[in-house]
Amino acid sequence: AQTVTQSQPEMSVQEAETVTLSCTYDTSESDYYLFWYKQPPSRQMILVIRQEAYKQQNATENRFSVNFQKAAKSFSLKISDSQLGDAAMYFCAYRDPTGTASKLTFGTGTRLQVTL
Amino acid sequence: GAGVSQSPRYKVAKRGQDVALRCDPISGHVSLFWYQQALGQGPEFLTYFQNEAQLDKSGLPSDRFFAERPEGSVSTLKIQRTQQEDSAVYLCASSLAGTDNSPLHFGNGTRLTVT
């Protein structure tokens, strides 16, 4: 079974600074998808960024980028120019395309605090 | 509506009571998922529907949990004889199609507290 590990329960960053959230996963598949989701207090899971494993280029979405290391099974999220609105729980997730469509396996999350 | 709607937002049940949680997916979305999120944890998959067909229920923790989507739109997650360990946020998500490129849209969840 696939597992997703987030080893940082909490992280803190100053406004306008950069922070990196870590994620590792375990799979025997060669083709899969990885995601970072943001969960604010409203509880709604919001997609931040996604990465297809067959793509070597790291995904980027505005201030959000990933460092995808397939051999190391590592998928970290970098948030640049942090804003107060970035404060939330962040979950790393894995999707196995050979299983149930869109069935996700989540990590335990990292709580990000943004300070002035 | 514009997004996935879940009701009620909060539910308190006494141990042993039955509860029903509702999910209104985005109109036209074929796929619907239920996830359970315990306090301090990530969401865990419960079950998946493609239209009205329940194609995967491998995540349902016990036979007290039952989900349905009879007309392929609104879905209900029912928990019978609730136990304290059922306390969690129940998230519903929908997507246009069951393909890898179809993004999931989540609702705000129902927080169930069993006392």
Side-chain angles (χ1 to χ4, degrees), chain B residues 3-4 32 45 47 53 58 69 78 97 107 110-111:
Chain B
V4 177
L32 186 145
F45 170 81
T47 187
S58 62
R69 194 186 184 198
K78 298 179 179 178
T110 294
R111 181 182 296 280

Side-chain angles (χ1 to χ4, degrees), chain B residues 2-94:
Chain B
V4 177
S5 177
Q6 291 188 247
S7 61
R9 188 149 172 78
Y10 299 93
K11 177 69 179 178
V12 179
K14 291 187 177 179
R15 189 163 58 95
Q17 283 184 332
D18 297 349
V19 298
L21 312 180
R22 178 188 169 104
C23 173
D24 273 279
I26 294 173
S27 179
H29 277 197
V30 169
S31 297
L32 186 145
F33 299 79
W34 284 98
Y35 286 83
Q36 180 190 56
Q37 186 176 18
L39 186 64
Q41 301 295 316
E44 292 192 356
F45 170 81
L46 291 177
T47 187
Y48 162 64
F49 289 87
Q50 190 172 86
N51 295 308
E52 70 278 4
Q54 189 175 20
L55 299 186
D56 188 341
K57 53 182 181 179
S58 62
L60 296 177
S62 77
D63 59 7
R64 297 186 296 103
F65 286 71
F66 172 76
E68 60 183 5
R69 194 186 184 198
E71 297 179 359
S73 55
V74 172
S75 178
T76 304
L77 176 66
K78 298 179 179 178
I79 309 173
Q80 297 177 324
R81 305 180 303 282
T82 53
Q83 303 294 315
Q84 282 194 320
E85 61 263 28
D86 300 335
S87 295
V89 173
Y90 290 86
L91 294 168
C92 177
S94 70

Side-chain angles (χ1 to χ4, degrees), chain A residues 39 43-44 95 100-101 104, chain B residues 33 37 56 98 100 106 108-109:
Chain A
Q39 188 178 43
R43 300 198 302 255
Q44 185 180 28
R95 178 198 296 172
T100 300
L104 298 171
Chain B
F33 299 79
Q37 186 176 18
D56 188 341
D100 302 324
F106 283 85
N108 288 342

Side-chain angles (χ1 to χ4, degrees), chain A residues 31 33 35 37 39 41-47 50 52 54 89 91 95-109 111, chain B residues 9-10 33 35 37 40-45 48 55-56 58 89 91 95 97-111:
Chain A
D31 193 17
Y33 297 82
F35 305 82
Y37 280 88
Q39 188 178 43
S42 68
R43 300 198 302 255
Q44 185 180 28
M45 300 288 279
I46 301 166
L47 179 63
R50 60 178 259 166
E52 290 90 342
Y54 64 86
M89 286 291 293
F91 291 94
R95 178 198 296 172
D96 175 4
T98 63
T100 300
S102 298
K103 179 178 177 179
L104 298 171
T105 300
F106 288 87
T108 53
R111 181 175 301 282
Chain B
R9 188 149 172 78
Y10 299 93
F33 299 79
Y35 286 83
Q37 186 176 18
Q41 301 295 316
E44 292 192 356
F45 170 81
Y48 162 64
L55 299 186
D56 188 341
S58 62
V89 173
L91 294 168
S95 67
T99 65
D100 302 324
N101 289 328
S102 185
L104 279 183
H105 299 262
F106 283 85
N108 288 342
T110 294
R111 181 182 296 280

